[in-house]
Amino acid sequence: MTKLDQIRAAEARLLLSTYDRNPILFAGGEGAHIIDEQGERYLDLLSGIGVNALGYGNAVIEEAIARQSRKLIHISNLYYHEGQAELALRLTELTGLDRAFFCNSGTEAWECAMKMARAHAGLLREEGKQIGTKFLALDQSFHGRTFGAISTTYKEKYREPFEPVVPGVEFVQFNDVADLRAKFSHEVCAILVEAIQGEGGIRPLTQEFIDEARALTLSTGALLIADEIQCGMGRTGQWCAYQHYGILPDVTTLAKPLAGGIPMGAVLCTEEVARCFHAGMHGTTFGGGPLACAVAIAVIDHMENENLLDHVTEVGDYFQTQLHDLARRHDAIIDVRGKGLMIAAELDSADLAKLAVAEMLKRRILINCTSDTVLRFLPPYILEREHVDTAIRALDEIFTEHAVAAQTAAQPAGGEIHG
Ligand SMILES: Cc1ncc(COP(=O)(O)O)c(C=O)c1O
């Protein structure tokens, strides 16, 4: 029995069966590659689902962890440490918002943002404004796995087993301005968006839709909340994806790459929204701990020092150009989209998408499939053109083999031709 077999057997006996893992045992990593226990290197174009933005074995992250862990790892939020204010200053500068709250994951950040929307609407009602408690979320949205998050997440499969979920959520057709207008009213406390949907298939909002969402919310005092957990912190070549649209939301949520792989989430909001929380209304034991803050600051410093946003834009554009070329050679690719290093190639069949992920894995390249037919690329920001070329060559080979196999299957068998 291999070590992997032993671990698989133990997990099957001991863990909740929430994950359908690929049978690989990873043991290390270097740059854009993750390495299994046999020493085989895999090109990682998924970076732990958009988390390992600086790749593996980054010296800046390792030093920040070592340095901070020798000083303090945890103190709780009953006392001060030097990291939270400094990180809040950095993030308020990067996002254009005024105040921060730190937590430990994306879904936790989202819960905080939803609570803010309800509390803020309550405050406005006390001040005599007409505003309700309803949320407008979008078709195909994904906001996490806790109750508020699943309630605002579109796909039925995430909500249905746990019903009843949080009431008061209505879904708006994606990028449908007329539907947004029809569903918006004084009853709405917040419109919830991802500027570029992640799980929903790397789908960007239109300028018109986001402008309308901003205008409607401003007209009543409702909040525009931008979930930047997947598309934020540099992934699209801007610190926040909403910055491509020239708008400022009232609240944004960050997580995934924020602390370079150490779990951390953050909520940023305007001064106006911040009025709704007072001491005791919200909190967390671990959130904003010294270790996570120190690493997040080191990650931001490194991204700035290395001009990584420009690099993300440059390599991301190259990646998309290569995928467009590939799409011209293979009819199976029906769309290529995204921004920076948040990229999708949509295929014409779910079976082919599944096959492509499996075939890439055989070639030691990690990608995944979302929304059934969408190949998703969320590589580390340190990706180079040569890595893109490797991936494109592999995809080319896979689609060519598939086309040949499909053609062969479609031809009548030799004996029947004479018939
Ligand atoms: C847009 C978005 N929001 C929220 C979440 C939830 O984050 P987490 O898994 O850290 O709870 C995710 C995770 O994929 C996400 O992509």
Side-chain angles (χ1 to χ4, degrees):
M1 225 190 192
T2 64
K3 193 167 170 190
L4 173 61
D5 290 336
Q6 285 169 19
I7 289 173
R8 289 182 83 182
E11 284 204 1
R13 204 174 63 246
L14 297 166
L15 297 192
L16 286 184
S17 49
T18 46
Y19 303 110
D20 192 10
R21 300 194 209 281
N22 289 290
I24 313 169
L25 183 57
F26 283 121
E30 189 183 6
H33 290 87
I34 182 164
I35 303 167
D36 74 11
E37 47 138 14
Q38 323 271 10
E40 295 291 353
R41 294 163 70 85
Y42 292 68
L43 176 60
D44 187 357
L45 301 184
L46 197 58
S47 58
I49 323 187
V51 169
N52 301 319
L54 303 187
Y56 297 94
N58 179 282
V60 166
I61 293 180
E62 288 174 3
E63 275 161 29
I65 292 172
R67 199 179 339 109
Q68 187 58 47
S69 63
R70 280 195 294 267
K71 289 203 266 177
L72 264 183
I73 292 175
H74 173 78
I75 60 163
S76 88
N77 279 300
L78 297 177
Y79 311 99
Y80 292 96
H81 66 82
E82 63 188 11
Q84 284 202 22
E86 188 181 343
L87 180 58
L89 178 64
R90 305 299 294 275
L91 291 177
T92 51
E93 283 168 0
L94 301 177
T95 59
L97 291 162
D98 302 319
R99 286 179 183 263
F101 175 83
F102 296 111
C103 53
N104 309 287
S105 68
T107 202
E108 252 184 83
W110 194 246
E111 295 294 320
C112 173
M114 288 183 67
K115 286 170 78 176
M116 269 180 168
R118 288 270 173 87
H120 180 254
L123 194 63
L124 293 187
R125 280 194 298 279
E126 274 171 31
E127 292 169 359
K129 279 215 166 121
Q130 188 197 347
I131 185 161
T133 56
K134 191 169 139 184
F135 292 103
L136 291 185
L138 297 195
D139 244 50
Q140 305 304 327
S141 56
F142 183 87
H143 298 296
R145 303 296 197 134
T146 45
F147 261 107
I150 58 169
S151 312
T152 52
T153 285
Y154 180 73
K155 283 183 189 134
E156 183 91 20
K157 66 173 181 181
Y158 294 124
R159 295 195 309 262
E160 191 269 329
F162 309 106
E163 282 177 343
V165 295
V166 176
V169 182
E170 192 171 9
F171 291 95
V172 173
Q173 299 282 331
F174 188 73
N175 274 339
D176 186 335
V177 171
D179 196 41
L180 177 65
R181 278 197 201 119
K183 287 174 178 158
F184 189 82
S185 71
H186 282 278
E187 283 309 305
V188 172
C189 69
I191 299 179
L192 314 174
V193 300
E194 296 156 78
I196 302 180
Q197 287 189 336
E199 293 292 319
I202 316 291
R203 299 193 308 159
L205 287 181
T206 59
Q207 184 73 47
E208 192 193 4
F209 188 89
I210 207 160
D211 283 347
E212 187 63 21
R214 183 64 286 188
L216 288 170
T217 45
L218 283 173
S219 73
T220 63
L223 304 183
L224 177 62
I225 304 185
D227 182 343
E228 293 270 338
I229 289 161
Q230 190 164 145
C231 59
M233 286 312 290
R235 164 79 39 210
T236 67
Q238 293 272 8
W239 286 105
C240 294
Y242 61 72
Q243 289 163 341
H244 292 288
Y245 295 84
I247 61 120
L248 186 66
D250 302 291
V251 179
T252 195
T253 51
L254 304 170
K256 289 191 183 283
L258 181 57
I262 299 290
M264 182 175 225
V267 185
L268 279 293
C269 69
T270 59
E271 202 65 63
E272 159 62 27
V273 178
R275 295 188 303 135
C276 72
F277 271 5
H278 55 74
M281 270 177 82
H282 192 61
T284 152
T285 300
F286 289 114
L291 183 67
C293 286
V295 180
I297 293 163
V299 168
I300 293 169
D301 280 345
H302 187 68
M303 285 179 62
E304 286 178 342
N305 294 341
E306 299 292 311
N307 257 330
L308 273 187
L309 294 195
D310 289 347
H311 182 77
V312 163
T313 303
E314 196 266 313
V315 180
D317 286 351
Y318 178 71
F319 203 156
Q320 278 210 49
T321 307
Q322 298 307 305
L323 282 171
H324 278 293
D325 267 5
L326 198 66
R328 277 190 280 279
R329 297 198 292 280
H330 299 284
D331 294 342
I333 305 176
I334 56 171
D335 193 23
V336 173
R337 56 181 180 262
K339 261 233 176 298
L341 287 172
M342 182 174 188
I343 301 175
E346 183 160 7
L347 307 186
D348 62 0
S349 119
D351 286 345
L352 179 58
K354 223 171 157 179
L355 179 89
V357 173
E359 285 294 318
M360 288 291 267
L361 190 60
K362 280 190 202 158
R363 289 162 175 79
R364 307 216 168 86
I365 303 173
L366 306 186
I367 61 168
N368 90 334
C369 169
T370 183
S371 291
D372 298 334
T373 54
V374 178
L375 300 185
R376 177 169 54 165
F377 307 95
L378 297 173
Y381 303 170
I382 53 162
L383 198 77
E384 296 293 345
R385 284 176 176 229
E386 74 208 47
H387 300 130
V388 175
D389 294 340
T390 303
I392 296 290
R393 264 196 310 275
L395 288 168
D396 198 9
E397 205 176 278
I398 292 163
F399 291 130
T400 304
E401 282 173 14
H402 174 75
V404 170
Q407 217 169 27
T408 312
Q411 273 167 8
E416 291 163 15
I417 291 173
H418 315 281

